[in-house]
Amino acid sequence: MNRYNKYIFLNSILYFLYCEIKHFFRFFKYYFNLFIYVNFFKYLVHKKKDFNIINNIIAKQALKKNYNFWKKFVKQNESNNEILVTSLVSLKAYSIYNCVIGLNISKNYNKNIAGLINEYDFKNEIFMRSFGIEKIYYIPEGNFFSRFKFFLKAIKLTKNIKKIEDLLNLKHENIDIGKVTYDHWIRFTGIGSADSIDSKIVYFLSIALLVQNFSKQLFKSNSFKHVVQSETQFIPSSIVFQNSLINNCNVYSRIGISNKMSVMIYNDIKDKYTQRYCFSKNLFELIYNNYRNKIFDKTNEIIIKRFLDIPEYAVDHNIEENMDHKFEIQENLNNNYSKSDLCEKFNWDTNKPIVVIFSNDLTDGVFKVNWNLFKDNLTGIQETLSIIKEIKHINWLVKPHPNDIKNNVVTSTEKEVVKLSKLFENIRLFPKNFGNKPLPEIISSAVTMGGSVGYEYPSLGIPAIICTGTFYSGRGFNHEAHTIEEYKKMLKNADKLGPLSEEQISKAKIFIYIYSVLTKVYSPILPAKKPVKKDYEELSFWKDFETLIENYEIEKDDFYNNFKIQLEKSDRHTINYNLIR
């Protein structure tokens, strides 16, 4: 064992022991929280984590009504479970979406249903059981000996790995275990990129191996045909997702937020890195050929309000609780500036063109694309900055992704730009107090590594450069760079790309219509409020949830009726079929 491997091995051992101490305290915290939340004596009587044992009277009443409604749709006491509903994110919002989708599948196909949760997630278990799901599988935490066994296996698998590129090529039992591990490391360290492995990567790999061992046995001992899973990234979700596709399951993945959603159906392992918003070519062409002139007024309204930063018209983001404090309040944004104002602010020559680079989320969605020029998003922005510092006939503005703040990233776009702007006068950070509205009248083009910019600006005739296989690539309204040389050439000529054609503008608008309208199917059983709101606390949730159940009629549910058509037609996404009749 060389000096480098000894260093990694010793640090990995220390980190493993540190995590074992955390496991020890987590075990006791689990039981402490459990017996605060439930009645211990009722738990001994019922011997099951369901609504009968919880202390909160309001929650118990809501869950009981939920159970009485849904139990008639779930088949019980079946030996084979053909539908698996996962809930691997500890948020009620995820559970509601997944359970509703799973129960719709059960009702349409008359198949038995089971649930999958993390082992210590007792609140999620109680919530899922209120939908009539009796059989629950648990992704194990393992014990010291099993965790240590997989830790040694991770050491063995990484002993010859020096570069991250080698880790990304690491497969185990047909699972991209290296990519899963690296993706998880980026998300939960907030660092964004690495050149070599470290102790945390080794440890996360050991957890991935433990989950893979469980997942393989889960699918081997069951006859699942349908898996409901909204989260398809990170550990354990990505491993369960890949196992589902390898075992020829249809995977139903929700898109949308609040009480409007759609479902993308995956059925091929080749699509494991296809984003959920990647709408089918057939749907795109159907709207383009038959409805494009009818939808432009609605699309134009969406774009106008999107550029005014109105939250209701923002792109979809994952629902997360208690995150408000991590966002900067965007009040009194300056939406009345000109090119001259920007040039005066930065002491720029007004005769030079301005191009804006919109940075991508640095710690999320790294492997949600079919192709990418760079190994991760941080490398992408770093390489882009390295290229543009040589392109001095253009003034460059760089806009960080808002998730840099939400995810509290260690290596941010802002840090990268500030460092470079001290040396290059034509590279500046986009002012935080400036809005987006005037930009289409100011800039020559936009650059993005896969964000919403890639369809918003083309819808206004502004060219957009992309360097990744995002969910809207290949639709004909972007300048797509598939090699580094192509990317450098496009950036060098970013001021000379020229306005888009009417056909390209129309295609960008069609994508926006599909994304923002056609695939937003209303369901009255889903909460209209977002759990991210500060005033949306536990008590409010249960009261609202009970009201939704009391007034719910499944046969009048738009989502239920349109999802049923989707299953009959084998369409990729749920759409509002009433809008295209």
Side-chain angles (χ1 to χ4, degrees):
M1 185 180 289
N2 60 37
R3 172 186 265 180
Y4 174 79
N5 284 337
K6 284 181 180 178
Y7 174 80
I8 294 294
F9 177 75
L10 291 174
N11 275 278
S12 298
I13 287 286
L14 291 174
Y15 188 71
F16 175 81
L17 294 175
Y18 165 74
C19 291
E20 284 303 305
I21 294 172
K22 290 176 65 176
H23 269 290
F24 177 79
F25 286 105
R26 187 180 176 193
F27 178 79
F28 286 100
K29 184 179 179 181
Y30 163 74
Y31 281 103
F32 177 79
N33 289 331
L34 173 64
F35 292 120
I36 288 177
Y37 194 74
V38 308
N39 184 300
F40 176 71
F41 296 104
K42 287 184 178 179
Y43 178 54
L44 292 178
V45 172
H46 288 277
K47 297 180 181 178
K48 186 166 62 175
K49 299 183 185 77
D50 63 13
F51 64 87
N52 289 300
I53 67 173
I54 65 176
N55 291 319
N56 187 321
I57 301 300
I58 295 174
K60 182 176 181 178
Q61 182 173 303
L63 291 173
K64 184 177 181 180
K65 288 184 178 180
N66 193 48
Y67 176 77
N68 288 334
F69 178 84
W70 290 108
K71 66 179 181 180
K72 56 183 174 290
F73 298 121
V74 181
K75 294 180 69 177
Q76 304 292 351
N77 301 318
E78 293 285 332
S79 57
N80 290 323
N81 302 301
E82 295 196 18
I83 303 170
L84 181 67
V85 177
T86 71
S87 187
L88 304 178
V89 179
S90 298
L91 295 172
K92 291 186 289 294
Y94 276 91
S95 292
I96 292 174
Y97 288 118
N98 288 357
C99 289
V100 168
I101 293 167
L103 287 160
N104 274 268
I105 297 170
S106 178
K107 189 174 188 300
N108 276 285
Y109 291 150
N110 196 30
K111 301 294 184 182
N112 195 34
I113 190 168
L116 176 66
I117 63 172
N118 292 307
E119 186 175 10
Y120 289 162
D121 196 358
F122 67 87
K123 287 187 179 181
N124 217 350
E125 178 173 352
I126 291 170
F127 193 57
M128 289 190 78
R129 288 191 186 279
S130 77
F131 285 88
I133 300 173
E134 291 293 326
K135 180 63 178 177
I136 303 286
Y137 296 94
Y138 309 91
I139 292 183
E141 293 276 335
N143 55 41
F144 174 83
F145 298 103
S146 63
R147 289 192 292 266
F148 190 65
K149 180 183 77 171
F150 288 108
F151 171 75
L152 292 178
K153 193 168 186 176
I155 290 287
K156 183 178 180 181
L157 286 173
T158 57
K159 68 178 182 179
N160 295 319
I161 290 179
K162 298 277 193 310
K163 299 184 298 183
I164 286 299
E165 285 77 6
D166 296 327
L167 177 70
L168 297 181
N169 292 322
L170 180 64
K171 283 183 174 287
H172 177 70
E173 297 176 338
N174 296 318
I175 301 297
D176 292 340
I177 205 84
K179 282 185 178 179
V180 174
T181 300
Y182 186 54
D183 198 20
H184 195 84
W185 178 88
I186 288 175
R187 181 67 179 87
F188 291 96
T189 63
I191 294 174
S193 185
D195 294 322
S196 57
I197 64 171
D198 63 10
S199 57
K200 288 185 179 181
I201 288 177
V202 174
Y203 180 76
F204 288 148
L205 176 58
S206 73
I207 301 303
L209 292 169
L210 187 153
V211 173
Q212 168 56 19
N213 183 67
F214 162 79
S215 299
K216 180 179 64 175
Q217 296 302 322
L218 175 69
F219 284 92
K220 185 178 180 180
S221 57
N222 286 279
S223 54
F224 297 127
K225 301 298 181 186
H226 310 276
V227 177
V228 181
Q229 187 173 352
S230 291
E231 179 59 84
T232 58
Q233 300 180 95
F234 315 126
I235 304 168
S237 299
S238 182
I239 294 170
V240 174
F241 177 59
Q242 291 186 49
N243 273 280
S244 301
L245 294 176
I246 287 171
N247 285 277
N248 300 313
C249 298
N250 285 336
V251 179
Y252 302 78
S253 198
R254 180 264 310 167
I255 62 174
I257 56 176
S258 190
N259 56 6
K260 294 180 180 179
M261 69 171 171
S262 176
V263 173
M264 176 174 174
I265 303 177
Y266 292 87
N267 53 24
D268 195 323
I269 189 63
K270 291 185 292 186
D271 293 329
K272 60 187 171 184
Y273 297 122
T274 299
Q275 287 179 278
R276 285 173 281 177
Y277 289 94
C278 189
F279 307 116
S280 72
K281 183 179 180 181
N282 288 340
L283 177 60
F284 194 83
E285 291 180 348
L286 172 69
I287 304 302
Y288 181 79
N289 292 328
N290 299 286
Y291 300 95
R292 65 176 181 270
N293 294 325
K294 300 177 183 178
I295 58 95
F296 285 162
D297 287 344
K298 182 63 178 175
T299 303
N300 291 338
E301 175 193 355
I302 292 168
I303 285 298
I304 289 170
K305 293 182 178 179
R306 175 80 178 104
F307 273 87
L308 287 172
D309 297 296
I310 297 175
E312 291 83 355
Y313 291 84
V315 296
D316 293 348
H317 289 291
N318 287 339
I319 297 172
E320 297 186 53
E321 293 182 304
N322 303 318
M323 296 298 285
D324 284 10
H325 66 286
K326 292 189 178 181
F327 287 93
E328 291 185 356
I329 304 300
Q330 294 292 298
E331 295 178 351
N332 302 317
L333 282 175
N334 180 2
N335 268 313
N336 192 32
Y337 59 91
S338 63
K339 180 180 179 180
S340 297
D341 295 329
L342 278 175
C343 291
E344 182 179 353
K345 181 178 179 65
F346 297 122
N347 196 25
W348 281 347
D349 182 353
T350 56
N351 293 316
K352 284 187 175 182
I354 296 175
V355 173
V356 181
I357 296 171
F358 294 83
S359 183
N360 212 10
D361 191 323
L362 299 182
T363 62
D364 195 2
V366 175
F367 297 111
K368 287 201 302 185
V369 295
N370 288 319
W371 60 269
N372 201 332
L373 291 187
F374 308 104
K375 73 179 185 216
D376 50 56
N377 295 337
L378 179 58
T379 301
I381 192 64
Q382 288 172 335
E383 291 295 321
T384 300
L385 293 174
S386 178
I387 295 169
I388 66 168
K389 71 182 182 182
E390 305 297 333
I391 306 173
K392 298 180 180 179
H393 69 279
I394 296 174
N395 287 324
W396 301 92
L397 281 173
V398 184
K399 199 173 191 299
H401 195 280
N403 282 2
D404 280 11
I405 298 168
K406 185 186 80 170
N407 295 332
N408 195 26
V409 298
V410 176
T411 46
S412 67
T413 299
E414 181 174 346
K415 290 178 183 177
E416 298 292 327
V417 177
V418 169
K419 186 168 50 178
L420 202 62
S421 63
K422 293 176 182 178
L423 302 173
F424 299 91
E425 294 181 355
N426 65 325
I427 300 174
R428 291 291 181 264
L429 196 69
F430 189 84
K432 292 181 180 180
N433 63 325
F434 277 36
N436 293 312
K437 182 184 176 184
L439 286 179
E441 302 296 327
I442 294 173
I443 67 176
S444 297
S445 61
V447 181
T448 178
M449 271 141 268
S452 59
V453 168
Y455 54 84
E456 291 166 347
Y457 281 81
S459 75
L460 297 172
I462 310 300
I465 298 171
I466 64 172
C467 57
T468 182
T470 187
F471 53 97
Y472 51 79
S473 59
R475 298 300 179 211
F477 52 79
N478 291 123
H479 294 269
E480 300 185 18
H482 290 266
T483 66
I484 296 295
E485 288 306 311
E486 283 182 352
Y487 191 45
K488 288 180 178 179
K489 185 176 180 180
M490 286 181 188
L491 291 175
K492 187 176 181 179
N493 295 285
D495 59 322
K496 302 181 182 70
L497 298 175
L500 272 63
S501 66
E502 287 300 319
E503 180 181 354
Q504 290 174 310
I505 293 171
S506 295
K507 287 181 176 180
K509 288 183 177 181
I510 285 165
F511 181 87
I512 292 169
Y513 180 77
I514 295 172
Y515 178 100
S516 300
V517 180
L518 194 60
T519 53
K520 295 294 186 290
V521 187
Y522 170 69
S523 176
I525 194 59
L526 303 175
K529 296 180 181 178
K530 300 177 187 178
V532 74
K533 299 294 184 183
K534 287 181 180 177
D535 60 348
Y536 201 59
E537 297 175 352
E538 190 85 355
L539 186 61
S540 298
F541 173 84
W542 292 121
K543 286 182 177 179
D544 291 346
F545 186 62
E546 183 177 3
T547 301
L548 292 174
I549 293 297
E550 288 175 338
N551 295 289
Y552 184 57
E553 297 179 60
I554 192 168
E555 302 297 339
K556 295 181 180 180
D557 184 341
D558 282 347
F559 172 76
Y560 167 74
N561 291 315
N562 283 288
F563 184 55
K564 186 176 182 179
I565 297 173
Q566 178 190 9
L567 296 179
E568 292 170 353
K569 293 166 65 72
S570 298
D571 285 345
R572 181 185 291 186
H573 284 87
T574 323
I575 64 173
N576 188 338
Y577 291 92
N578 294 318
L579 297 177
I580 57 172
R581 286 176 178 169

